[in-house]
PDB file of all heavy atoms in Angstrom:
ATOM      1  N   ASN A 301     261.347 -95.937 179.119  1.00 56.00           N
ATOM      2  CA  ASN A 301     260.228 -96.335 179.970  1.00 56.00           C
ATOM      3  C   ASN A 301     260.060 -95.286 181.067  1.00 56.00           C
ATOM      4  O   ASN A 301     260.442 -95.500 182.206  1.00 56.00           O
ATOM      5  CB  ASN A 301     260.476 -97.712 180.572  1.00 56.00           C
ATOM      6  CG  ASN A 301     259.296 -98.223 181.369  1.00 56.00           C
ATOM      7  OD1 ASN A 301     258.196 -97.689 181.265  1.00 56.00           O
ATOM      8  ND2 ASN A 301     259.512 -99.237 182.179  1.00 56.00           N
ATOM      9  N   ASN A 302     259.520 -94.126 180.709  1.00 69.00           N
ATOM     10  CA  ASN A 302     259.447 -93.044 181.691  1.00 69.00           C
ATOM     11  C   ASN A 302     258.044 -92.462 181.766  1.00 69.00           C
ATOM     12  O   ASN A 302     257.089 -93.024 181.251  1.00 69.00           O
ATOM     13  CB  ASN A 302     260.492 -91.972 181.374  1.00 69.00           C
ATOM     14  CG  ASN A 302     260.136 -91.165 180.129  1.00 69.00           C
ATOM     15  OD1 ASN A 302     259.206 -91.475 179.412  1.00 69.00           O
ATOM     16  ND2 ASN A 302     260.893 -90.124 179.882  1.00 69.00           N
ATOM     17  N   GLU A 303     257.939 -91.304 182.441  1.00 79.00           N
ATOM     18  CA  GLU A 303     256.639 -90.663 182.641  1.00 79.00           C
ATOM     19  C   GLU A 303     256.099 -90.015 181.372  1.00 79.00           C
ATOM     20  O   GLU A 303     254.944 -89.645 181.314  1.00 79.00           O
ATOM     21  CB  GLU A 303     256.764 -89.600 183.731  1.00 79.00           C
ATOM     22  CG  GLU A 303     257.019 -90.165 185.110  1.00 79.00           C
ATOM     23  CD  GLU A 303     255.806 -90.857 185.687  1.00 79.00           C
ATOM     24  OE1 GLU A 303     254.690 -90.372 185.476  1.00 79.00           O
ATOM     25  OE2 GLU A 303     255.983 -91.894 186.349  1.00 79.00           O
ATOM     26  N   ASN A 304     256.934 -89.835 180.375  1.00 92.00           N
ATOM     27  CA  ASN A 304     256.509 -89.186 179.134  1.00 92.00           C
ATOM     28  C   ASN A 304     256.388 -90.236 178.037  1.00 92.00           C
ATOM     29  O   ASN A 304     257.164 -91.184 177.967  1.00 92.00           O
ATOM     30  CB  ASN A 304     257.509 -88.099 178.756  1.00 92.00           C
ATOM     31  CG  ASN A 304     257.689 -87.099 179.892  1.00 92.00           C
ATOM     32  OD1 ASN A 304     256.736 -86.782 180.594  1.00 92.00           O
ATOM     33  ND2 ASN A 304     258.907 -86.629 180.102  1.00 92.00           N
ATOM     34  N   PHE A 305     255.416 -90.045 177.148  1.00 96.00           N
ATOM     35  CA  PHE A 305     255.010 -91.109 176.239  1.00 96.00           C
ATOM     36  C   PHE A 305     255.213 -90.734 174.774  1.00 96.00           C
ATOM     37  O   PHE A 305     255.283 -89.552 174.411  1.00 96.00           O
ATOM     38  CB  PHE A 305     253.540 -91.451 176.470  1.00 96.00           C
ATOM     39  CG  PHE A 305     253.239 -91.864 177.879  1.00 96.00           C
ATOM     40  CD1 PHE A 305     252.637 -90.986 178.768  1.00 96.00           C
ATOM     41  CD2 PHE A 305     253.568 -93.130 178.333  1.00 96.00           C
ATOM     42  CE1 PHE A 305     252.369 -91.350 180.073  1.00 96.00           C
ATOM     43  CE2 PHE A 305     253.307 -93.513 179.633  1.00 96.00           C
ATOM     44  CZ  PHE A 305     252.709 -92.623 180.510  1.00 96.00           C
ATOM     45  N   ILE A 306     255.276 -91.764 173.942  1.00 97.00           N
ATOM     46  CA  ILE A 306     255.357 -91.600 172.492  1.00 97.00           C
ATOM     47  C   ILE A 306     254.041 -92.084 171.896  1.00 97.00           C
ATOM     48  O   ILE A 306     253.678 -93.260 172.049  1.00 97.00           O
ATOM     49  CB  ILE A 306     256.522 -92.422 171.910  1.00 97.00           C
ATOM     50  CG1 ILE A 306     257.841 -92.056 172.581  1.00 97.00           C
ATOM     51  CG2 ILE A 306     256.617 -92.214 170.391  1.00 97.00           C
ATOM     52  CD1 ILE A 306     258.975 -93.025 172.249  1.00 97.00           C
ATOM     53  N   PHE A 307     253.331 -91.192 171.235  1.00 98.00           N
ATOM     54  CA  PHE A 307     252.081 -91.550 170.569  1.00 98.00           C
ATOM     55  C   PHE A 307     252.351 -91.594 169.071  1.00 98.00           C
ATOM     56  O   PHE A 307     252.658 -90.570 168.451  1.00 98.00           O
ATOM     57  CB  PHE A 307     250.979 -90.560 170.920  1.00 98.00           C
ATOM     58  CG  PHE A 307     250.586 -90.613 172.372  1.00 98.00           C
ATOM     59  CD1 PHE A 307     251.079 -89.683 173.278  1.00 98.00           C
ATOM     60  CD2 PHE A 307     249.762 -91.622 172.840  1.00 98.00           C
ATOM     61  CE1 PHE A 307     250.741 -89.743 174.617  1.00 98.00           C
ATOM     62  CE2 PHE A 307     249.423 -91.697 174.185  1.00 98.00           C
ATOM     63  CZ  PHE A 307     249.916 -90.749 175.078  1.00 98.00           C
ATOM     64  N   ILE A 308     252.256 -92.778 168.518  1.00 97.00           N
ATOM     65  CA  ILE A 308     252.614 -93.026 167.124  1.00 97.00           C
ATOM     66  C   ILE A 308     251.345 -93.044 166.291  1.00 97.00           C
ATOM     67  O   ILE A 308     250.449 -93.866 166.532  1.00 97.00           O
ATOM     68  CB  ILE A 308     253.339 -94.380 166.982  1.00 97.00           C
ATOM     69  CG1 ILE A 308     254.526 -94.444 167.948  1.00 97.00           C
ATOM     70  CG2 ILE A 308     253.796 -94.591 165.555  1.00 97.00           C
ATOM     71  CD1 ILE A 308     255.045 -95.860 168.147  1.00 97.00           C
ATOM     72  N   ILE A 309     251.258 -92.154 165.325  1.00 96.00           N
ATOM     73  CA  ILE A 309     250.095 -92.097 164.438  1.00 96.00           C
ATOM     74  C   ILE A 309     250.424 -92.842 163.161  1.00 96.00           C
ATOM     75  O   ILE A 309     251.428 -92.557 162.500  1.00 96.00           O
ATOM     76  CB  ILE A 309     249.716 -90.640 164.103  1.00 96.00           C
ATOM     77  CG1 ILE A 309     249.560 -89.806 165.377  1.00 96.00           C
ATOM     78  CG2 ILE A 309     248.431 -90.612 163.280  1.00 96.00           C
ATOM     79  CD1 ILE A 309     248.461 -90.262 166.290  1.00 96.00           C
ATOM     80  N   THR A 310     249.590 -93.804 162.810  1.00 92.00           N
ATOM     81  CA  THR A 310     249.783 -94.544 161.574  1.00 92.00           C
ATOM     82  C   THR A 310     248.428 -94.796 160.930  1.00 92.00           C
ATOM     83  O   THR A 310     247.383 -94.534 161.537  1.00 92.00           O
ATOM     84  CB  THR A 310     250.532 -95.864 161.835  1.00 92.00           C
ATOM     85  OG1 THR A 310     250.922 -96.456 160.600  1.00 92.00           O
ATOM     86  CG2 THR A 310     249.679 -96.834 162.630  1.00 92.00           C
ATOM     87  N   GLY A 311     248.470 -95.306 159.696  1.00 87.00           N
ATOM     88  CA  GLY A 311     247.217 -95.560 158.979  1.00 87.00           C
ATOM     89  C   GLY A 311     247.383 -95.328 157.491  1.00 87.00           C
ATOM     90  O   GLY A 311     248.455 -94.926 157.022  1.00 87.00           O
ATOM     91  N   PRO A 312     246.336 -95.564 156.717  1.00 83.00           N
ATOM     92  CA  PRO A 312     246.413 -95.446 155.261  1.00 83.00           C
ATOM     93  C   PRO A 312     246.669 -94.012 154.794  1.00 83.00           C
ATOM     94  O   PRO A 312     246.503 -93.047 155.551  1.00 83.00           O
ATOM     95  CB  PRO A 312     245.023 -95.912 154.795  1.00 83.00           C
ATOM     96  CG  PRO A 312     244.429 -96.607 155.958  1.00 83.00           C
ATOM     97  CD  PRO A 312     245.019 -95.993 157.174  1.00 83.00           C
ATOM     98  N   SER A 313     247.067 -93.877 153.541  1.00 78.00           N
ATOM     99  CA  SER A 313     247.203 -92.561 152.925  1.00 78.00           C
ATOM    100  C   SER A 313     245.869 -91.830 152.948  1.00 78.00           C
ATOM    101  O   SER A 313     244.808 -92.445 152.777  1.00 78.00           O
ATOM    102  CB  SER A 313     247.664 -92.701 151.466  1.00 78.00           C
ATOM    103  OG  SER A 313     248.916 -93.332 151.399  1.00 78.00           O
ATOM    104  N   SER A 314     245.916 -90.533 153.197  1.00 78.00           N
ATOM    105  CA  SER A 314     244.754 -89.642 153.112  1.00 78.00           C
ATOM    106  C   SER A 314     243.733 -89.850 154.220  1.00 78.00           C
ATOM    107  O   SER A 314     242.602 -89.373 154.121  1.00 78.00           O
ATOM    108  CB  SER A 314     244.041 -89.794 151.744  1.00 78.00           C
ATOM    109  OG  SER A 314     244.954 -89.584 150.701  1.00 78.00           O
ATOM    110  N   VAL A 315     244.122 -90.543 155.290  1.00 85.00           N
ATOM    111  CA  VAL A 315     243.172 -90.776 156.377  1.00 85.00           C
ATOM    112  C   VAL A 315     243.139 -89.610 157.366  1.00 85.00           C
ATOM    113  O   VAL A 315     242.253 -89.528 158.213  1.00 85.00           O
ATOM    114  CB  VAL A 315     243.511 -92.105 157.099  1.00 85.00           C
ATOM    115  CG1 VAL A 315     244.719 -91.930 158.022  1.00 85.00           C
ATOM    116  CG2 VAL A 315     242.318 -92.662 157.848  1.00 85.00           C
ATOM    117  N   GLY A 316     244.136 -88.711 157.284  1.00 86.00           N
ATOM    118  CA  GLY A 316     244.135 -87.536 158.149  1.00 86.00           C
ATOM    119  C   GLY A 316     245.209 -87.539 159.214  1.00 86.00           C
ATOM    120  O   GLY A 316     245.066 -86.870 160.244  1.00 86.00           O
ATOM    121  N   LYS A 317     246.294 -88.260 158.996  1.00 91.00           N
ATOM    122  CA  LYS A 317     247.348 -88.382 160.010  1.00 91.00           C
ATOM    123  C   LYS A 317     248.041 -87.049 160.288  1.00 91.00           C
ATOM    124  O   LYS A 317     248.266 -86.686 161.453  1.00 91.00           O
ATOM    125  CB  LYS A 317     248.385 -89.424 159.564  1.00 91.00           C
ATOM    126  CG  LYS A 317     247.818 -90.822 159.345  1.00 91.00           C
ATOM    127  CD  LYS A 317     248.892 -91.829 159.026  1.00 91.00           C
ATOM    128  CE  LYS A 317     249.567 -91.583 157.692  1.00 91.00           C
ATOM    129  NZ  LYS A 317     248.664 -91.752 156.547  1.00 91.00           N
TER     130      LYS A 317
END
Side-chain angles (χ1 to χ4, degrees):
N301 185 15
N302 71 352
E303 292 288 322
N304 304 324
F305 302 102
I306 304 168
F307 294 99
I308 307 164
I309 308 297
T310 190
S313 299
S314 305
V315 77
K317 300 185 293 295

